[in-house]
């Protein structure tokens, strides 16, 4: 298969056909209509085999996740995703792989009204770079540097299942088949909180998506906002399965440091906290208060009013 037939067959029509795409895949560049927009939000993320996903990951899941991690960045800004580009490096042209990969990407793109408008296709070790472009009114964008002393710290969903899923691939853990399936779905098919973020945005001061682990990601908010965060480790929301397993095996830190959750962590001024809970309830979204923003700097973890010490650290690509 030639480069051009791959593009034509698998990537020329992906996701939702949007009216604001004036020229999509096939020319030297795509053209989109931005005349009705305030501002653009733009982000890119790369997934590399054996770094971001194990080689055993199904191509459908790789396609899904490569877009999901980018949509999660849009969610963290309260931006609405519109267009994506895809730079794909493949070791070979495996038709079954390409069909499954492009279907996973497309299925998630359709759910979020996103169209693939361009990209690049090359040969080499498997690597996937997705750029996402969305719109946001700059006044409403959720940033990392707006947390205020007195804010409550919140997180959506449950943390740690994805990290536990990853662990279940390399270690023999005593999960039933359905339990393992649940954990691997959390790892491979994250559902980025795009709609939820838009709904909560009016009440939120600062936000980030949880991709590298809550401790690391919340620390970015704290640093950029020049405040201190006090988090009650026992308040961190985990699934029943995670809770059961971590208690037995002393894995408490996975929910704090594991990563791949793609939930939102955000801060809310006191006067808006009730409203946030109300909006979350309306959406059927689990939204948990895990701590407070106070004066000072850095992240302070506590458990039953004692200082809690992390036993592991978050992922860092360049850590020595
Ligand atoms: P050029 O040589 O001008 O860089 P390419 O041959 O790389 O153009 O790409 C041809 C067209 O196909 C372009 O519109 C490009 O955006 C698109 N394209 C290439 N690879 C992909 C891909 N993996 N996904 C989506 N569009 C792609
Ligand atoms: Mg090119």
């Amino acid at each position: 298969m030639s480069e051009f037939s791959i593009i034509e067959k698998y990537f020329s029509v992906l996701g939702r056909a949007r009216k604001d795409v004036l020229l999509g895949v096939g020319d030297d560049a795509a053209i989109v209509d931005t005349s009705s927009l305030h501002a653009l939000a733009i982000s890119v993320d790369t997934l590399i085999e054996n770094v971001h996903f194990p080689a055993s990951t199904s191509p459908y899941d790789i396609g899904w996740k490569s877009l999901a991690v980018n949509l999660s960045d849009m969610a963290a800004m309260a931006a609405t995703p519109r267009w994506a580009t895809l730079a794909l490096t493949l070791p070979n042209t495996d038709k079954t792989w390409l069909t499954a990969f492009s279907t996973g990407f497309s299925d998630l793109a359709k759910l979020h009204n996103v169209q693939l408008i361009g990209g690049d296709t090359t040969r080499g070790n498997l690597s996937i770079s997705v750029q996402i472009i969305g719109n946001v009114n700059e006044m409403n964008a959720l940033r990392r540097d707006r947390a205020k002393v007195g804010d409550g710290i919140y997180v959506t969903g449950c943390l740690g299942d994805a990290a536990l899923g990853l662990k279940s691939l390399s270690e023999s853990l005593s999960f039933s088949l359905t339990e393992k399936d649940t954990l691997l779905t959390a790892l491979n098919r994250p559902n980025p909180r795009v709609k939820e973020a838009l709904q909560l945005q009016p009440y939120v001061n600062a936000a980030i998506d949880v991709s590298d682990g809550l401790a690391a990601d919340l620390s970015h908010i704290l640093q950029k906002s020049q405040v201190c965060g006090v988090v009650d480790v026992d308040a961190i929301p985990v699934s029943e399965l995670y809770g059961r397993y971590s208690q037995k095996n002393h894995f408490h830190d996975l929910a704090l440091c594991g990563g791949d959750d793609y939930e939102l962590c955000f801060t809310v001024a006191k006067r808006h906290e009730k409203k946030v809970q109300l909006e979350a309830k309306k959406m059927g979204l689990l939204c948990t208060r895990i701590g407070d923003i106070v004066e000072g700097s850095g992240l302070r973890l506590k458990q039953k009013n004692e200082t809690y010490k992390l036993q592991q650290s978050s992922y860092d690509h360049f850590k020595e």
Side-chain angles (χ1 to χ4, degrees), residues 3-4 6-8 10-12 14 24-30 84-88 101 116-122:
E3 180 189 328
F4 301 102
I6 292 174
I7 298 167
E8 172 89 23
Y10 299 101
F11 300 111
S12 59
L14 264 202
V25 171
D27 214 304
D28 292 305
T85 63
L86 165 67
L88 183 60
F101 172 86
L116 183 71
I117 57 168
D120 198 23
T121 306
T122 51

Side-chain angles (χ1 to χ4, degrees), residues 44-55:
V44 66
D45 262 309
T46 300
L47 268 66
I48 293 175
E49 188 175 46
N50 290 326
V51 177
H52 299 93
F53 56 88

Side-chain angles (χ1 to χ4, degrees), residues 2-252:
S2 76
E3 180 189 328
F4 301 102
S5 50
I6 292 174
I7 298 167
E8 172 89 23
K9 180 145 194 250
Y10 299 101
F11 300 111
S12 59
V13 187
L14 264 202
R16 192 80 71 193
R18 296 185 57 99
K19 287 207 176 68
D20 55 16
V21 176
L22 306 178
L23 189 58
V25 171
D27 214 304
D28 292 305
I31 303 176
V32 294
D33 180 5
T34 59
S35 54
S36 66
L37 305 182
H38 287 278
L40 298 178
I42 303 169
S43 172
V44 66
D45 262 309
T46 300
L47 268 66
I48 293 175
E49 188 175 46
N50 290 326
V51 177
H52 299 93
F53 56 88
S56 62
T57 311
S58 83
Y60 182 97
D61 289 346
I62 298 172
W64 177 285
K65 192 166 177 176
S66 63
L67 180 61
V69 302
N70 283 278
L71 293 176
S72 183
D73 283 324
M74 291 285 111
M77 302 299 295
T80 304
R82 290 179 172 239
W83 314 291
T85 63
L86 165 67
L88 183 60
T89 306
L90 298 167
N92 51 45
T93 56
D94 175 341
K95 289 181 185 165
T96 315
W97 192 97
L98 279 162
T99 302
F101 172 86
S102 55
T103 306
F105 189 105
S106 192
D107 283 354
L108 185 61
K110 283 179 185 152
L111 285 180
H112 289 272
N113 210 12
V114 165
Q115 183 175 344
L116 183 71
I117 57 168
D120 198 23
T121 306
T122 51
R123 181 172 227 161
N125 292 334
L126 181 59
S127 147
I128 305 117
S129 266
V130 175
Q131 181 184 47
I132 188 93
I133 306 164
N135 67 286
V136 66
N137 182 337
E138 196 243 331
M139 304 270 290
N140 300 338
L142 294 180
R143 306 166 42 138
R144 298 177 179 185
D145 59 0
R146 300 285 155 91
K148 298 279 181 303
V149 171
D151 285 2
I153 304 173
Y154 285 79
V155 69
T156 61
C158 286
L159 303 182
D161 280 5
L164 194 51
L166 184 62
K167 220 175 172 59
S168 78
L169 292 174
S170 59
E171 294 173 28
S172 62
L173 307 177
S174 53
F175 292 121
S176 71
L177 279 180
T178 36
E179 287 174 341
K180 192 161 173 177
D181 197 54
T182 302
L183 296 175
L184 289 181
T185 302
L187 176 66
N188 294 325
R189 302 265 186 93
N191 282 301
R193 303 294 196 180
V194 178
K195 290 186 186 81
E196 293 88 340
L198 287 173
Q199 205 71 27
L200 296 173
Q201 175 273 325
Y203 317 107
V204 172
N205 275 346
I208 192 167
D209 65 319
V210 183
S211 54
D212 295 333
L214 176 69
D217 291 318
L218 174 55
S219 293
H220 293 312
I221 289 186
L222 303 175
Q223 199 201 351
K224 291 264 180 192
S225 302
Q226 299 188 302
V227 290
C228 170
V230 182
V231 166
D232 176 2
V233 172
D234 291 333
I236 293 170
V238 296
S239 67
E240 186 274 328
L241 175 56
Y242 179 99
R244 196 161 20 97
Y245 197 81
S246 67
Q247 207 153 47
K248 217 167 68 192
N249 297 277
H250 309 288
F251 274 168
H252 300 287

Side-chain angles (χ1 to χ4, degrees), residues 266-285:
F266 55 95
T267 80
V268 181
K270 270 216 169 60
R271 66 181 188 287
H272 289 319
E273 293 199 57
K274 273 214 182 86
K275 193 74 188 160
V276 160
Q277 289 298 2
L278 211 70
E279 288 298 328
K281 201 165 172 196
K282 268 197 252 167
M283 291 185 277
L285 174 70

Side-chain angles (χ1 to χ4, degrees), residues 232-234 302-307:
D232 176 2
V233 172
D234 291 333
K302 56 169 212 184
Q303 188 170 41
K304 300 187 180 37
N305 276 321
E306 308 244 332
T307 300

